[in-house]
Amino acid sequence: MISNKIWVDADACPNAVKEMLFRASERKSIQLMLVANQLVKVPVSPLIKMIRVSSGFDEADNYIVEQLSSGDLVITADIPLAAEAIDKGALVLNPRGTVYTTENIKQILTMRDFMEEMRSSGVHTGGPSSFSQADKHTFAQALDKWLAKVK
């Protein structure tokens, strides 16, 4: 069986999600790679690695896309990163539990671009809602589904 990895766009990933991933990595003996522009505290484990990249625009995203393999899991809320990871054969899950797929990523990317255009023209679109217990639960279910397929 292929030993898949979990890649985390860790700069904006909620701590509750990181904690779930730490436990899942240990429980299932799966490598967990957290990539960020800043230092992220991780437990001491041969399975868990913190990779700090320079603070340039999209440095973490570019690193993840370069390093991931088909079948890996990528955790990110970054839609362009999700699209690139899907193109490389990864499964992509956002921290709220939404699974990004080849079937839905183009529509999600189009909506993101539209909202960005609205914001840049001065329209107040509001931000995302705060991370909730329901989001945490949805993420845990989606993660468990992936883990069940891997090992």
Side-chain angles (χ1 to χ4, degrees), residues 18-148:
K18 287 186 264 195
E19 291 296 326
M20 277 188 262
L21 292 167
F22 296 151
R23 288 190 302 274
S25 170
E26 292 295 327
R27 189 176 76 243
K28 291 290 201 165
S29 297
I30 293 175
Q31 282 196 304
L32 176 62
M33 317 299 272
L34 291 96
V35 183
N37 301 121
Q38 59 204 351
L39 214 49
V40 174
K41 190 171 166 60
V42 299
V44 176
S45 166
L47 294 169
I48 301 170
K49 186 174 180 186
M50 166 62 216
I51 300 156
R52 188 171 179 192
V53 295
S54 62
S55 59
F57 186 70
D58 286 341
E59 289 292 324
D61 300 359
N62 294 338
Y63 184 88
I64 291 169
V65 170
E66 288 168 13
Q67 300 298 315
L68 72 84
S69 298
S70 180
D72 287 352
L73 176 64
V74 176
I75 310 298
T76 186
D78 184 292
I79 309 301
L81 169 57
E84 286 187 75
I86 289 168
D87 285 346
K88 284 196 73 177
L91 177 74
V92 184
L93 183 59
N94 87 2
R96 295 176 187 262
T98 301
V99 178
Y100 297 132
T101 65
T102 53
E103 289 78 30
N104 69 11
I105 193 65
K106 288 192 184 358
Q107 180 181 355
I108 293 168
L109 194 52
T110 299
M111 181 55 76
R112 172 212 173 258
D113 292 346
F114 172 72
M115 295 303 284
E116 197 169 275
E117 199 174 298
M118 296 288 288
R119 284 188 293 275
S120 69
S121 68
V123 175
H124 180 68
T125 59
S129 58
S130 59
F131 188 72
S132 69
Q133 274 304 118
D135 294 330
K136 189 174 168 181
H137 181 72
T138 303
F139 177 82
Q141 285 184 311
L143 177 62
D144 284 344
K145 227 182 242 186
W146 183 81
L147 290 169

